[in-house]
Amino acid sequence: MSIVATIMNTATGRPIQKMKFGRMPKPWASFNLDTGELVTAERVDVGKPAPGKFIAPVDVWVTVKPKD
């Protein structure tokens, strides 16, 4: 069962993209965004599922390097 997580920007608090993981990502996991930038997860938040649903929302917080 794969996990679909929303990748969130820690600086702005806005979502960057959705990403599918084979298992729950660890807070120190490194992965590439769609832009090709390598980022490291700083925090992983697991929310409560909606009433009558099984899937819980997962947010992975990362710091993106500012563009020059």
Side-chain angles (χ1 to χ4, degrees):
M1 182 174 142
S2 60
I3 305 292
V4 177
T6 304
I7 309 301
M8 304 288 287
N9 188 339
T10 55
T12 63
R14 295 179 159 254
I16 298 172
Q17 69 182 48
K18 294 263 188 193
M19 184 173 274
K20 187 182 282 190
F21 293 93
R23 51 188 246 164
M24 184 62 77
K26 301 290 184 190
W28 56 84
S30 295
F31 51 89
N32 289 321
L33 297 176
D34 288 340
T35 60
E37 182 177 354
L38 180 65
V39 293
T40 302
E42 294 181 11
R43 187 174 87 210
V44 177
D45 292 337
V46 180
K48 294 180 96 175
K53 299 291 182 179
F54 173 72
I55 299 172
V58 177
D59 295 331
V60 179
W61 294 82
V62 299
T63 300
V64 179
K65 293 179 184 170
K67 295 181 180 179
D68 293 334

